[in-house]
Amino acid sequence: MSMLPYLRAAVRPALRKSAAVQPAYDATRDPSASSAVVDCAVYRDGRRALGPSCLTPREAIRRVREDGGFAWIGLHEPTEEEFAGIAATFGLHPLAVEDAVHAHQRPKLERYDDTLFTVFKTIHYVEHAELTATSEVVETGEVMCFTGPDFVITVRHGGQGSLRSLRHRLQDDPELLSKGPSAVLHSLADHVVDGYIAVAAAVQDDIDEVENAVFAAPAKGVARGGDAGRIYQLKREVLEFKRAVAPLLRPMELLSERPMRLVDPDIQKYFRDVADHLARVHEQVVGFDELLNSILQANLAQATVAQNEDMRKITSWAAIIAVPTMICGVYGMNFDHMPELHWKYGYPMVMAAIVGSCFTIHRALRRHGWL
């Protein structure tokens, strides 16, 4: 896991104190104003009516309830103090507010009165020149979404997963955006799941690379089993990916099948497509986990076989060396009365016996594949 989000959370308060306060978000005039607000806009008939230069969250919801439409407020890593005014303005449940501020939640869908609270885990693939035993493959973040009858509040945690492109894409599709807050919720879910699909393809390449390395012939002088660290690290990263995907299956199933007052019936049909894509990614991730298990077992089996082969060679040479050792040990004893001890041809005969015995044992061992 990257430490960047934690460092950003620690540095952000100091930066905000030193930065000049924008008039539109002056907290002395509006408790809902906050420097954590990335964007605040009012949408009517599928088009952006008012932007952040003249709106605070409180002003946005007031305009919506007077003239219609819905407000979309985007925040990035707000503190409790920064989010308190917005929570009071929109009547958000304290439990959902606590989850949104502190993050580190599992994907879920909860309903509090007239508000849906949805948690998504975002996944970002970390590029690396070479996969090692310490490589970070995926980086996670979080996006929380409060969906009400006339507002959407998105809270983002982590350095990745910006929603700017999503907002612009929705603004380019007035027909979809005119469906209201549920259209934003669907687009957010679709955006997150599309990210899963892209990451799954990249992780598949890493797994293929490791698999090829395990089953390829080892380079001369390189021992088998050296890929175990890389496999285990990749397995840990896949497990982190799985923790983001698997818990989201049930929320997407509810949004696509169960009628909800806050979800437009036309938008609910689109959730079925998102749920289908998510199920496909989940199958891929489960397959990755099982495949990595098989690769790890194969790698360990190859290491064991290599060790057995080494032991067989060591044992074979020990058996060959045992013959001259035995003969030399016998004739190295200091006895006066030993057969052929003072014979003229005794030494050549012993050497011939040693060489012949070693050669015969060597041939037999090679024939049986031990050498």
Side-chain angles (χ1 to χ4, degrees):
M1 294 288 291
S2 174
M3 294 298 294
L4 189 58
Y6 302 100
L7 294 175
R8 184 181 293 107
V11 173
R12 180 186 288 276
L15 295 177
R16 288 174 182 159
K17 290 179 181 178
S18 61
V21 178
Q22 299 295 327
Y25 298 111
D26 186 357
T28 61
R29 294 182 299 171
D30 187 346
S32 71
S34 168
S35 57
V37 175
V38 177
D39 202 350
C40 176
V42 171
Y43 296 88
R44 294 193 190 98
D45 299 323
R47 300 189 181 278
R48 186 168 181 144
L50 296 170
S53 60
C54 59
L55 284 179
T56 64
R58 174 174 288 183
E59 178 65 16
I61 196 62
R62 185 184 67 81
R63 296 287 187 91
V64 165
R65 288 170 181 172
E66 287 180 355
D67 305 324
F70 71 94
W72 182 357
I73 297 94
L75 301 98
H76 181 231
E77 296 183 353
T79 63
E80 291 184 17
E81 294 76 12
E82 291 170 332
F83 201 44
I86 296 175
T89 299
F90 290 87
L92 304 180
H93 196 280
L95 290 176
V97 171
E98 182 180 359
D99 289 346
V101 171
H102 296 291
H104 303 296
Q105 306 297 317
R106 70 193 303 270
K108 60 183 178 180
L109 172 66
E110 295 179 342
R111 180 172 179 174
Y112 296 97
D113 299 327
D114 290 334
T115 303
L116 288 178
F117 177 61
T118 315
V119 178
F120 299 95
K121 283 278 190 182
T122 57
I123 297 290
H124 171 70
Y125 180 77
V126 180
E127 297 289 344
H128 44 266
E130 181 182 0
L131 181 65
T132 66
T134 58
S135 296
E136 185 179 18
V137 178
V138 296
E139 182 181 8
T140 61
E142 291 180 50
V143 177
M144 287 82 166
C145 183
F146 294 88
T147 309
D150 50 12
F151 67 86
V152 176
I153 301 173
T154 53
V155 183
R156 183 168 60 89
H157 290 267
Q160 306 295 332
S162 174
L163 303 180
R164 189 185 304 274
S165 61
L166 171 64
R167 189 185 288 261
H168 290 166
R169 189 166 66 249
L170 269 174
Q171 290 173 173
D172 293 336
D173 190 354
E175 183 178 354
L176 179 61
L177 195 55
S178 64
K179 299 295 183 180
S182 59
V184 177
L185 178 60
H186 160 263
S187 296
L188 177 59
D190 189 51
H191 176 74
V192 170
V193 173
D194 283 346
Y196 293 168
I197 294 174
V199 172
V203 171
Q204 177 70 67
D205 292 338
D206 282 335
I207 294 177
D208 290 342
E209 177 187 341
V210 169
E211 185 178 21
N212 292 334
V214 167
F215 291 101
K220 187 176 182 180
V222 178
R224 286 280 191 181
D227 293 307
R230 295 199 303 162
I231 299 170
Y232 187 71
Q233 176 64 14
L234 190 54
K235 184 172 174 60
R236 290 184 61 186
E237 297 295 303
V238 168
L239 179 60
E240 187 175 355
F241 192 2
K242 186 177 180 180
R243 287 172 180 165
V245 175
L248 193 57
L249 290 171
R250 181 58 179 167
M252 288 299 102
E253 181 182 344
L254 293 175
L255 288 170
S256 62
E257 296 179 358
R258 180 176 297 180
M260 296 185 182
R261 186 160 53 87
L262 293 172
V263 178
D264 189 287
D266 293 334
I267 294 297
Q268 193 166 39
K269 300 174 184 177
Y270 290 94
F271 275 113
R272 295 172 190 165
D273 183 63
V274 177
D276 180 64
H277 290 170
L278 181 65
R280 182 159 57 92
V281 173
H282 180 254
E283 290 175 358
Q284 281 185 283
V285 175
V286 171
F288 291 162
D289 194 31
E290 294 176 353
L291 180 58
L292 285 171
N293 281 335
S294 300
I295 294 174
L296 183 59
Q297 293 298 324
N299 184 70
L300 295 176
Q302 287 181 339
T304 302
V305 170
Q307 291 175 352
N308 289 338
E309 290 178 354
D310 292 340
M311 290 303 300
R312 288 168 64 178
K313 290 179 181 179
I314 293 172
T315 303
S316 300
W317 284 111
I320 293 173
I321 294 173
V323 173
T325 301
M326 181 189 67
I327 297 175
C328 293
V330 170
Y331 275 87
M333 293 186 294
N334 295 320
F335 291 104
D336 288 334
H337 303 286
M338 291 183 66
E340 317 301 342
L341 186 63
H342 301 288
W343 184 39
K344 179 180 179 180
Y345 300 103
Y347 176 75
M349 183 190 73
V350 170
M351 294 303 299
I354 290 174
V355 172
S357 300
C358 291
F359 178 75
T360 302
I361 296 173
H362 186 273
R363 284 285 304 271
L365 292 173
R366 281 183 64 87
R367 189 163 52 247
H368 290 85
W370 282 58
L371 285 174

